[in-house]
Amino acid sequence: MPLADKTHLRIPGPTPIPPRVQWAMNQPMIGHRSGECSRLVVENSRRLQPVFGTDQPVLIVTGSGTSALEAAVVNAVAPGEEAAVVVTGAFGDRFAKIVTRYGITLRRLDIPWSEACQPEVLAEFLQQHPQVKAVFLTYCETSTGVLNPIRELARTVHQHSDALVIVDGVSCLGAVDCRMDEWGVDIMVTGSQKALMLPPGLAFIAVSDRAWEVIERNPRSRFYLDLIAYRDNLTKQTTPYTPAVSLLFGLKEVLNLIQEEGFSAIVARHRLMMEMSRAGIRALGLELLAPDAFASPTVTAVKGGGQLDVEAFRKELRQIGVVVAGGQQHLKGKIFRIGHMGYCDPLDVLTVFNAIELALFRLGVPVELGSAVKACEEVWANVSRTHHGSAQ
Ligand SMILES: *Cc1c(COP(=O)(O)O)cnc(C)c1O
């Protein structure tokens, strides 16, 4: 049995919290209109800009990631307008549900769950739906471990329409390259509990000038999620309502950690963890859900079936002390997903594969102990040799 308080949480969010961040969140409470809180809000917002790749202020909303998805919908699209939603998995599907709930005409582009949306496919879809006012995309589709090519998709949208490009970056921002301004993304959103190493409770949203014009004209009534209120209050160095102050303390420490490691090193670390995970899975003779070309650096989905009962396997892993996620919707019971984002390093990936081998062995699946760990280590070793110990 694992030690009571030593579970290796390797699901694609919430993710483990670095000790320094945990400590920072224990600070005594401060008033949300105090000068200290103002500095926290303003500095956190500014220091998040490189994570988004934007010069726009990053708005901080207290709410889960879905609150940011909903904020994007209610602010950017008016009732009765048309919006396209590209659905590559469960989170694209969530965008589609929100859009429908708010009286927007949904133009839904379904892509098989395991594939990325290709620019040509989106281009053809947009030609069939010239009235769409916004195109909703998912950067990392957490349910399948697919990273959609946002740069190319944003370019495609701009070539074929005036629609806003709205992107859910919840499960990858902070771990992958994001150049919102350069790529022409109009609204980018993320949440606190995935690659940003915080507890759940904060959502972050950046908005282009073009999108602000649309938002200002949008007659739809809204209150808590009115982004204009967040923008106007930020210029006054505050938030419209009481923010999750403790998480703001934590966020400051997260941004310190990001600064110390360096963003390109962080991106390289996540790529390495992805490569290690994929090599480990292959060494075990298991099948990866997403193809290499669109694999996400933050989450790896693996197919069950044959000799592998996914739910029994996850239970066995939990006994050993590692928690991985199952599948969502129709992939429930068919896949498992390893989260490797945020406060996770190559050594943690080795630990996960140690446990995976042991769990498979205990379940009677033919496996050569050490084979996956060896494959993971070889990936890591080759990177270290060619680059003097640092990832990349
Ligand atoms: C986790 C996640 C969300 C938000 O989920 P919440 O539970 O509301 O925080 C949205 N999109 C993606 C891609 C996610 O992975």
Side-chain angles (χ1 to χ4, degrees), residues 12 64-67 69 91 94 138 140 142 168 170-171 193-194:
S64 87
T66 306
S67 74
L69 267 53
F91 289 98
R94 182 169 302 179
T138 313
C140 169
T142 326
D168 171 354
V170 175
S171 61
Q193 81 273 26
K194 308 276 170 90

Side-chain angles (χ1 to χ4, degrees), residues 138-156:
T138 313
Y139 196 171
C140 169
E141 178 48 76
T142 326
S143 62
T144 61
V146 163
L147 197 74
N148 281 294
I150 296 302
R151 179 207 296 254
E152 288 74 17
L153 294 173
R155 189 190 300 140
T156 303

Side-chain angles (χ1 to χ4, degrees), residues 245-268:
V245 177
S246 302
L247 295 189
L248 294 180
F249 285 135
L251 176 57
K252 178 178 175 175
E253 202 52 41
V254 163
L255 292 164
N256 288 343
L257 287 170
I258 290 176
Q259 199 173 331
E260 285 167 34
E261 186 177 1
F263 200 66
S264 60
I266 291 172
V267 170

